[in-house]
Amino acid sequence: MGGVDLGVLGPFEVRLDGEPRDVGGPRLRTLLAVLAAEAGRVVSVAALGRALWGEEAPAHAGRTVRTYLSRLRATVGPEVIRTRPPGYVLHLAPQALDAARFERLAAEGRRVLAAGEPAAARERLACALTLWRGHAAYEEFGGVETLAAEGMRLDRLRHDAVQDRIDADLATGEDAGLIAELEALTAAFPGHERLWAQLMTALYRAGRQSDALEAFRRARHGLITAAGVEPSPVLARVHRRVLAHDPALLAARATAVVTGPDDALTAGEHALLEDGDLRTGREHFETAYVRAEQAGDAPALARAALGLGGVWVHEHRTAVAAASLLTRLRYALERADPGSTLGHRLQARLAAELDYEAGTHHRVLAAAERTRAAGDPVAHAEALSLAHHCLLGPGHARLRQALATELVGVSGRSGRRTDLVMGVLWDTVDRFLAGDPHAERRLGELDDLLAERRHLAAGFVADALKVMLAIRAGRFGKAEAGAQACVEAGRAAGDLDALGWYGAQLVAIRWFQGRLGELVPVLDGLMHSPTLSPIDNSYYAALAVAAASAGDRRTAAGALARLCGQDLGALPRSSTWLTSLCGAAETAYLLDDGATAVRIHELLAPFGHLPAMASLGIACFGSVHHPLGTTALTAGDPDRAVTHLRAAVRHNLALAHWPAVVFSRRRHAEALLRRGGPGDAAAADRELAAADEEARTFAGPPVTGR
């Protein structure tokens, strides 16, 4: 690459073969900085012009930009700045840009920290932070909107890396001197609760319990005054531990639990409730159940049966495994006191397993009501989480939110870390499913909780949500790599959804790349996987769309018929219901099946305000207004199609789902042309031009859409 290195984490710096190089005046530096901020992605000539002159570009701005770029290429080399229609792309090795090195080291540090290796994490995070040479990234380009935004993004990542490094310091016992640093940071960022939690921990370790409690009082006062909110569960938990003189707050993080060779039950409960390790938990609980049955130990039998259920509902997917779990739960319940904690927990678990498979929720909600009335926090926390998992249909949003909020509150009394983790996790998922603009904030809180101590099952969901966000951003290469890493994380956790979620993520990526037809053989195999939930019909829909996209109308029609059955309205309102109907809508459009389109429109109409998301938010196909517009178009109602697709564009913009924006703009243009009213042709041209401009910004193969 000509030995070019760029520094943006402070004063803008260009080095050629290790020596500083002046590339020219402010405009040349600005252009190179914009290309650096978008390294690896094409930046159009128009966008480069806006960076130099804003919205009031002079005449012949494009020619001037090309002249400037020619000068830059003469300095840094033509292989570094390459021409790619409609503009230019900076072609550098990742290590040649200090911001890229920083992001890689910071991400490695956080990953290693979550894996329970704080010393290694501390080393990586410290290296990442030493790359910063100034107070801000792109600091000389504050007047350039795109660079100011990128600088803010990098600054947030730097702030996160500092907090991760402090967590690593605390975990390794290297906490001397942290108090002064944290006092300064909490003064500068009073709304960042993680910093306050770290300060309280450092003060407590220094023997200053009263100062730690005073720090909590200051944090709480600031939050109530500034935002009218109470401290989050993460900060409240540290407060409770300080009040309780929790000895674990004094020690470096434990990395293992010591159990006797025959203590399979304790080992299983630690693996499941502390680490979220479903695979290890199941192995121990299987051993514990057999031993308890042989010994006639009813309480141990109940604990083992509950542990075999795991964290989620319906973890046992095959008919034999599911029947075995139900038999064991009933057997244990017959031998338990129905009014005891174990009795309540067994009733809730059995109700949830039966409800989930039937696509209902009345049994588990009744069980949650019983645990609420009994005042049993452990059983109630468990019942709330199980009930939430049985209520993932699009019509359950308010009830889910209420259950998640109650679970977070109950977790403070249950004394089990897993209840807090699940409460925050469910709340995060709910916000994404509802299209809440603040959902990513809650995901950050979940990340902070998992950085404190790993929880494999919850970490798998958090990773999957990040893959979904990468797809929304149009970063398809990053999303595909993340999906591959995510499936490994799921397998490590022992989560049977690992392969199914990977398939859903791959479908979303290929859908927005216009390459879904490539997946027909894969989907045909996945559709019959025994690990899929019995109420998951999304793979029939995915196969139908993929086959129709590939021109295989016979396979598409067959898969659509299997999905529809006697009536599409009979499909269970599961966590994949919306995406299944979205796939059916697209298939009906491709097959020109007006009757099916009309029925899909009737079913989807109440949910136009939602994003079409799969499972726990792990794949997003954009606004439900898009399939509503598509079905209206298929049914021959272009007026209604235009209304829905215009709304889809707005909703997808609000979701920051740029590939979906492109799809909806193109479909909107088609609807306008079909309607053919005054001004519709010009409006369609504008939509297509905007879609083409947005599609060029994506990393990876282009979005082709329809």
Side-chain angles (χ1 to χ4, degrees):
M1 303 303 173
V4 177
D5 291 281
L6 298 181
V8 301
L9 302 179
F12 189 59
E13 183 178 73
V14 182
R15 289 181 175 270
L16 268 67
D17 298 322
E19 296 297 324
R21 176 65 61 92
D22 183 2
V23 296
R27 287 181 177 170
L28 292 177
R29 292 167 65 81
T30 297
L31 289 176
L32 186 54
V34 170
L35 290 171
E38 298 289 338
R41 296 186 293 275
V42 176
V43 185
S44 68
V45 171
L48 291 168
R50 286 194 295 272
L52 293 180
W53 298 290
E55 297 300 326
E56 299 181 1
H60 311 301
R63 184 186 307 165
T64 305
V65 166
R66 291 184 177 91
T67 299
Y68 287 155
L69 266 296
S70 180
R71 294 181 193 172
L72 282 173
R73 294 174 80 179
T75 302
V76 301
E79 289 302 308
V80 175
I81 301 176
R82 300 181 179 182
T83 303
R84 292 287 186 274
Y88 297 85
V89 61
L90 189 69
H91 190 67
L92 285 179
Q95 65 270 19
L97 182 65
D98 61 354
R101 295 200 303 276
F102 162 73
E103 289 197 62
R104 177 178 57 80
L105 285 167
E108 286 179 2
R110 169 166 278 210
R111 185 169 59 251
V112 172
L113 182 63
E117 301 177 42
R122 188 168 179 260
E123 179 181 350
R124 288 170 172 78
L125 292 162
C127 288
L129 293 166
T130 59
L131 293 171
W132 286 76
R133 298 170 289 105
H135 293 295
Y138 299 97
E139 60 184 28
E140 71 181 75
F141 305 106
V144 181
E145 184 177 348
T146 57
L147 295 181
E150 177 65 3
M152 291 175 63
R153 185 186 73 85
L154 289 168
D155 190 58
R156 286 195 292 269
L157 292 178
R158 179 190 195 181
H159 190 57
D160 289 342
V162 168
Q163 293 175 83
D164 288 341
R165 194 222 77 225
I166 291 171
D167 270 347
D169 287 339
L170 291 169
T172 55
E174 299 289 339
D175 46 13
L178 282 183
I179 292 174
E181 180 183 6
L182 285 164
E183 288 282 12
L185 287 169
T186 51
F189 305 99
H192 288 245
E193 296 180 65
R194 185 180 175 191
L195 290 170
W196 286 106
Q198 290 170 330
L199 174 59
M200 291 170 64
T201 301
L203 288 167
Y204 184 74
R205 289 187 178 184
R208 297 166 58 182
Q209 183 190 27
S210 61
D211 289 338
L213 295 173
E214 171 60 20
F216 178 79
R217 188 200 65 77
R218 284 188 285 139
R220 181 174 182 272
H221 176 76
L223 289 166
I224 292 173
T225 302
V229 297
E230 288 284 346
S232 72
V234 174
L235 187 56
R237 183 167 179 260
V238 176
H239 181 234
R240 291 195 300 271
R241 294 175 71 184
V242 171
L243 286 171
H245 298 276
D246 187 345
L249 208 58
L250 293 171
R253 182 180 301 144
T255 57
V257 61
V258 178
T259 61
D262 295 326
D263 196 3
L265 190 57
T266 300
E269 288 177 336
H270 186 279
L272 182 67
L273 301 178
E274 292 296 322
D275 296 333
D277 187 342
L278 309 177
R279 184 188 307 280
T280 302
R282 279 194 290 265
E283 291 171 356
H284 286 304
F285 286 125
E286 183 64 38
T287 300
Y289 186 90
V290 172
R291 289 176 180 171
E293 191 174 28
Q294 291 171 345
D297 187 339
L301 191 76
R303 289 165 62 190
L306 287 164
L308 284 168
V311 169
W312 315 111
V313 183
H314 200 64
E315 288 188 19
H316 301 261
R317 297 289 170 80
T318 66
V320 173
S324 174
L325 177 66
L326 290 175
T327 298
R328 288 175 166 185
L329 288 170
R330 290 184 174 115
Y331 184 70
L333 185 57
E334 289 172 1
R335 284 150 183 77
D337 176 0
S340 66
T341 294
L342 285 173
H344 284 306
R345 291 175 64 198
L346 287 164
Q347 292 166 38
R349 168 59 72 173
L350 186 59
E353 295 292 342
L354 294 171
D355 269 344
Y356 188 88
E357 190 162 0
T360 57
H361 50 265
H362 61 281
R363 299 179 186 89
V364 72
L365 287 178
E369 185 57 43
R370 287 194 295 272
T371 57
R372 184 184 291 114
D376 186 331
V378 171
H380 190 45
E382 205 161 283
L384 289 169
S385 185
L386 295 171
H388 193 291
H389 201 176
C390 292
L391 288 160
L392 291 176
H396 301 142
R398 289 187 179 179
L399 180 53
R400 281 200 310 269
Q401 188 64 57
L403 292 171
T405 301
E406 188 177 3
L407 176 55
V408 171
V410 171
S411 69
R413 295 188 290 115
S414 74
R416 303 193 314 177
R417 176 177 180 270
T418 196
D419 297 330
L420 175 61
V421 171
M422 294 304 295
V424 176
L425 171 66
W426 285 131
D427 187 54
T428 302
V429 167
D430 288 340
R431 291 174 185 270
F432 277 110
L433 294 179
D436 188 325
H438 304 307
E440 288 183 61
R441 296 184 188 176
R442 190 63 82 237
L443 179 57
E445 183 178 333
L446 178 62
D447 280 341
D448 291 344
L449 191 57
L450 297 178
E452 182 180 327
R453 182 185 177 90
R454 70 174 187 168
H455 188 286
L456 294 179
F460 173 45
V461 180
D463 288 347
L465 288 169
K466 290 166 191 170
V467 173
M468 179 272 292
L469 291 173
I471 298 171
R472 279 187 179 181
R475 298 177 182 270
F476 297 127
K478 178 180 179 181
E480 194 155 349
Q484 290 167 354
C486 191
V487 73
E488 294 306 318
R491 285 170 174 159
D495 197 313
L496 294 183
D497 278 322
L499 184 60
W501 284 12
Y502 175 69
Q505 291 160 347
L506 200 58
V507 165
I509 293 167
R510 295 291 182 264
W511 171 292
F512 289 114
Q513 289 177 326
R515 298 167 53 195
L516 191 57
E518 299 172 9
L519 296 184
V520 169
V522 175
L523 292 169
D524 193 42
L526 275 174
M527 191 169 63
H528 306 294
S529 170
T531 64
L532 291 179
S533 165
I535 57 173
D536 181 0
N537 294 285
S538 60
Y539 277 96
Y540 288 114
L543 177 62
V545 184
S549 301
D552 184 351
R553 296 176 66 87
R554 180 182 179 185
T555 299
L560 183 61
R562 276 176 284 178
L563 177 69
C564 294
Q566 294 297 317
D567 178 20
L568 263 172
L571 281 182
R573 299 292 175 96
S574 69
S575 62
T576 58
W577 184 78
L578 277 181
T579 54
S580 297
L581 288 195
C582 285
E586 190 69 14
T587 306
Y589 166 83
L590 293 171
L591 298 180
D592 196 24
D593 183 347
T596 300
V598 168
R599 181 59 174 140
I600 295 169
H601 194 283
E602 291 173 358
L603 294 168
L604 283 179
F607 307 110
H609 61 289
L610 295 176
M613 305 192 82
S615 197
L616 306 192
I618 54 97
C620 179
F621 294 85
S623 171
V624 170
H625 276 293
H626 183 96
L628 283 168
T630 297
T631 51
L633 203 60
T634 308
D637 189 347
D639 276 333
R640 180 179 289 183
V642 166
T643 300
H644 280 304
L645 291 164
R646 185 185 299 122
V649 172
R650 289 197 303 269
H651 191 188
N652 287 327
L653 284 168
L655 291 170
H657 196 323
W658 304 109
V661 170
V662 171
F663 266 40
S664 293
R665 285 196 190 280
R666 289 177 175 161
R667 190 62 54 80
H668 183 214
E670 180 185 347
L672 287 165
L673 290 173
R674 286 205 196 180
R675 187 172 71 174
D680 280 351
D685 287 342
R686 289 194 296 272
E687 283 286 58
L688 289 172
D692 290 345
E693 178 69 19
E694 285 158 356
R696 292 188 190 104
T697 67
F698 299 146
V703 172
T704 58
R706 280 187 172 270

